[in-house]
């Protein structure tokens, strides 16, 4: 059973494999970035290309769902390997009001977990985060994302191998896109290995089966519940 860290120390020097920190105890505080200037517009950017793709194949259309919790809240999507542990990392962040795991960026409509695991649908396992930007900036979420996985491995995180485990940031508007690209550039300065994270518009989000939702908080494979308390620093066990 592997234990993952949730952060990479901000003062880490540029090294070949900084992701050795993934196996050390985590500190949620290390990736909280307070920034009132990084709050993006809640409006989704819908392009003509989005509309055309949606008409051709709804699975390729934009995510038009509304954020949970009312006016002012916003959405973000992140793919960082198996969505179980990634979701728990985001659940613990102040200002995150809801998380969901699911599938996106594929061409197949209404995919199941079995479909996605076949590697034939093009989907990525992602966490969709509903957050209050007055409490949690988008930059905070980006820092959680970078600290939670190794963005230099193609279609793989640890023992999980497949295109559904690829690293990705899926943005809802140009403000998110700008911050995502800037954060990638900054992260690349810290390491020598090439980052392979894709940064693409958020597409149709298919909610995964209920048993996947808040999987580790519920006990995971072994029935050992893990805390989703805000600010919790406990190491995350990938499978429970």
């Amino acid at each position: 059973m592997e234990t993952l860290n949730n952060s990479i120390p901000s003062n880490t020097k540029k090294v070949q494999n900084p992701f050795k920190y993934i196996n050390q105890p985590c500190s949620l505080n290390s990736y909280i970035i307070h920034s009132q200037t990084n709050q993006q517009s809640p409006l989704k950017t819908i392009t003509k290309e989005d509309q055309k793709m949606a008409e051709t194949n709804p699975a390729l259309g934009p995510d038009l769902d509304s954020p949970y919790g009312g006016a002012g809240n916003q959405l973000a999507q992140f793919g960082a390997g198996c969505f179980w542990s990634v979701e728990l990392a985001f659940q613990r962040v102040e200002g995150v009001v809801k998380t969901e795991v699911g599938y996106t960026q594929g061409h197949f409509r209404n995919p199941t977990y079995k479909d996605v695991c076949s590697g034939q649908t093009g989907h990525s396992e992602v966490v969709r985060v509903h957050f209050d930007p007055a409490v949690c900036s988008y930059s905070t979420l980006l820092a959680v994302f970078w600290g939670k996985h190794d963005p230099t491995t193609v279609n793989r995180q640890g023992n999980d191998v497949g295109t559904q485990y690829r690293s990705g940031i899926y943005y809802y508007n140009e403000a998110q896109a700008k911050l995502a690209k800037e954060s990638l550039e900054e992260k690349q300065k810290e390491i020598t290995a090439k980052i392979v994270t894709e940064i693409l518009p958020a597409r149709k989000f298919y909610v995964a089966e209920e048993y996947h939702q808040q999987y580790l908080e519920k006990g995971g494979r072994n029935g050992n519940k893990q805390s989703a308390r805000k600010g919790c620093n406990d190491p995350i066990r990938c499978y429970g």
Side-chain angles (χ1 to χ4, degrees):
M1 184 182 300
E2 184 180 5
T3 298
L4 290 187
N5 174 30
N6 293 337
S7 63
I8 296 175
S10 59
N11 61 350
T12 301
K13 294 181 179 179
K14 190 169 184 178
V15 293
Q16 184 65 37
N17 183 22
F19 303 102
K20 62 185 179 181
Y21 292 104
I22 286 178
N23 291 319
Q24 298 180 3
C26 62
S27 173
L28 184 69
N29 293 333
S30 67
Y31 53 54
I32 297 301
I33 301 174
H34 299 285
S35 173
Q36 296 301 318
T37 61
N38 285 340
Q39 296 176 10
Q40 74 278 13
S41 166
L43 298 177
K44 301 181 180 71
T45 303
I46 307 301
T47 66
K48 291 183 179 179
E49 181 183 1
D50 288 329
Q51 295 173 342
K52 183 176 181 180
M53 292 176 70
E55 291 171 0
T56 304
N57 183 348
L60 299 176
D63 181 10
L64 298 178
D65 293 344
S66 298
Y68 174 82
N73 287 352
Q74 299 172 24
L75 291 169
Q77 283 186 26
F78 301 98
C82 176
F83 47 30
W84 294 339
S85 63
V86 180
E87 180 181 33
L88 185 58
F90 283 112
Q91 284 180 270
R92 293 174 171 182
V93 178
E94 292 284 354
V96 170
V97 298
K98 180 180 180 180
T99 59
E100 305 165 280
V101 297
Y103 318 114
T104 191
Q105 300 294 322
H107 57 81
F108 191 77
R109 296 177 63 182
N110 301 310
T112 64
Y113 183 65
K114 183 177 180 180
D115 293 330
V116 173
C117 287
S118 74
Q120 301 301 308
T121 71
H123 287 88
S124 175
E125 287 193 13
V126 303
V127 178
R128 184 166 68 174
V129 180
H130 302 243
F131 67 104
D132 179 352
V135 180
C136 170
S137 72
Y138 187 65
S139 290
T140 295
L141 300 180
L142 287 169
V144 175
F145 166 79
W146 292 118
K148 188 64 186 72
H149 76 306
D150 180 349
T152 69
T153 53
V154 178
N155 300 331
R156 178 172 189 161
Q157 287 298 312
N159 294 326
D160 295 320
V161 180
T163 56
Q164 70 270 31
Y165 300 119
R166 63 189 182 271
S167 175
I169 302 171
Y170 307 112
Y171 58 85
Y172 282 81
N173 53 52
E174 290 307 313
Q176 283 190 357
K178 181 175 183 293
L179 289 171
K181 293 171 184 176
E182 290 174 349
S183 71
L184 186 152
E185 292 172 359
E186 289 302 309
K187 182 58 63 178
Q188 188 64 79
K189 293 176 183 178
E190 300 176 11
I191 59 178
T192 56
K194 181 177 175 56
I195 290 175
V196 296
T197 302
E198 61 183 15
I199 300 177
L200 299 169
R203 299 298 182 194
K204 175 69 175 177
F205 177 85
Y206 292 99
V207 179
E209 294 82 349
E210 178 57 32
Y211 72 88
H212 286 299
Q213 306 300 325
Q214 296 81 52
Y215 184 75
L216 297 185
E217 181 186 10
K218 295 174 181 175
R221 291 180 178 176
N222 302 311
N224 298 318
K225 295 182 179 180
Q226 298 183 58
S227 176
R229 175 178 52 84
K230 300 301 184 186
C232 178
N233 293 326
D234 295 345
I236 294 176
R237 303 184 304 276
C238 287
Y239 304 111

